[in-house]
Amino acid sequence: MANIHNVTEFIFLGLSSNQKVQRVCFVVFLLLYTAIVVGNLLMVVTVAASRSLGSPMYFFLSYLSFVEICYSSTTAPKLIFDLLSEKKSISVWGCITQLFFIHFFGGIEMFLLTVMAYDRYAAICRPLHYTSIMNRQVCAVLVGIAWVGGFVHSFAQILLIFRLPFCGPNVIDHYFCDVLPLLKLACSDTFLNGLLIVANGGTLSVISFVVLLASYMVILFHLRTQSSEGRRKALSTCGSHVTVVTLFFAPCVFIYLRPSATLPVDKMVAVFYTVITPLLNPVIYSLRNTEVKKAMKILWIRTMKAGNK
């Protein structure tokens, strides 16, 4: 980190400078983060404990819920702590670490959502070969690829930031470390870095989003030949996934597929994909899925019975 020069820490401006607003935000985000952890952890436990949720779709869903907990945990605890702190600071190494894990878990989620779309395609369009196409070994490999893909994506982002010189100022108009606010603070020409960040983050988001939409268009075309009950069940499952995909990818495309410039609305958009989306995912998948709701009910009954013994 020889090129960091004079800067040893960064200062966050956070969501608001108003003390009353910060106290309200503290309560709100504490409740939201608690709900994220509890909701996604409940999904993981439900899938692990329920024999009826043994299909690949729920295998991927449990991993997605686990990643959501990790993803929100890279920003939410620091945000909550800073809302009660006068000085919202983070060390340079802390900033780089936070940046790495944000893009690591965000990249994993991006690839997992793509894998889940492929799973739905195989289940609906290739039902006779589904069990052989999506066997346990294939599912494990696809999850492994998602983790490797997330690492490669994040490592590339870190390389673009790692050797930039930061001579001052060190104030970040955000509540966590991200590539675009850091580019704004670098005391060197960052035009090429900005283009590479767009290529790595924005283009990857767009390509994944297009592939996902294309796969669901193929699924919708294939559903024309199925019965009304089959169409209803397939559309319910796919509808949940499309909702989650849109909630995740739309903000990412807005943030990362543009020149290396920050906008005042960026912080609110970031709240959406780092807090709101992880909160909504378990709600969307459970409310729109009869099997998940039934499994949660059975798990609750078993837990209550065990507690009464």
Side-chain angles (χ1 to χ4, degrees), residues 162-197:
F162 190 77
R163 296 193 60 81
L164 286 177
F166 295 98
C167 313
N170 66 337
V171 178
I172 299 176
D173 188 14
H174 216 305
Y175 64 91
F176 66 89
C177 288
D178 204 1
V179 286
L180 297 184
L182 287 174
L183 281 181
K184 192 175 180 181
L185 296 182
C187 50
S188 67
D189 183 16
T190 60
F191 178 75
L192 179 59
N193 297 70
L195 289 180
L196 293 175
I197 286 170

Side-chain angles (χ1 to χ4, degrees), residues 41-53:
L41 189 59
L42 177 61
M43 186 67 72
V44 173
V45 172
T46 301
V47 173
S50 305
R51 294 181 180 179
S52 61
L53 303 181

Side-chain angles (χ1 to χ4, degrees), residues 93-107:
W93 279 109
C95 183
I96 295 297
T97 302
Q98 186 183 55
L99 177 65
F100 173 81
F101 282 109
I102 287 170
H103 287 274
F104 176 53
F105 290 116

Side-chain angles (χ1 to χ4, degrees), residues 5-38:
H5 296 311
N6 301 328
V7 174
T8 58
E9 66 176 10
F10 294 106
I11 308 297
F12 294 130
L13 291 184
L15 295 176
S16 173
S17 59
N18 187 297
Q19 292 294 323
K20 291 183 179 179
V21 173
Q22 289 187 41
R23 285 193 289 269
V24 172
C25 287
F26 170 80
V27 175
V28 170
F29 283 100
L30 181 61
L31 293 174
L32 289 177
Y33 179 61
T34 303
I36 289 169
V37 174
V38 172

Side-chain angles (χ1 to χ4, degrees), residues 220 223-236:
L220 288 174
L223 286 176
R224 297 185 309 165
T225 61
Q226 294 197 7
S227 64
S228 58
E229 178 63 21
R231 283 199 300 269
R232 185 196 64 77
K233 187 175 181 180
L235 287 173
S236 176

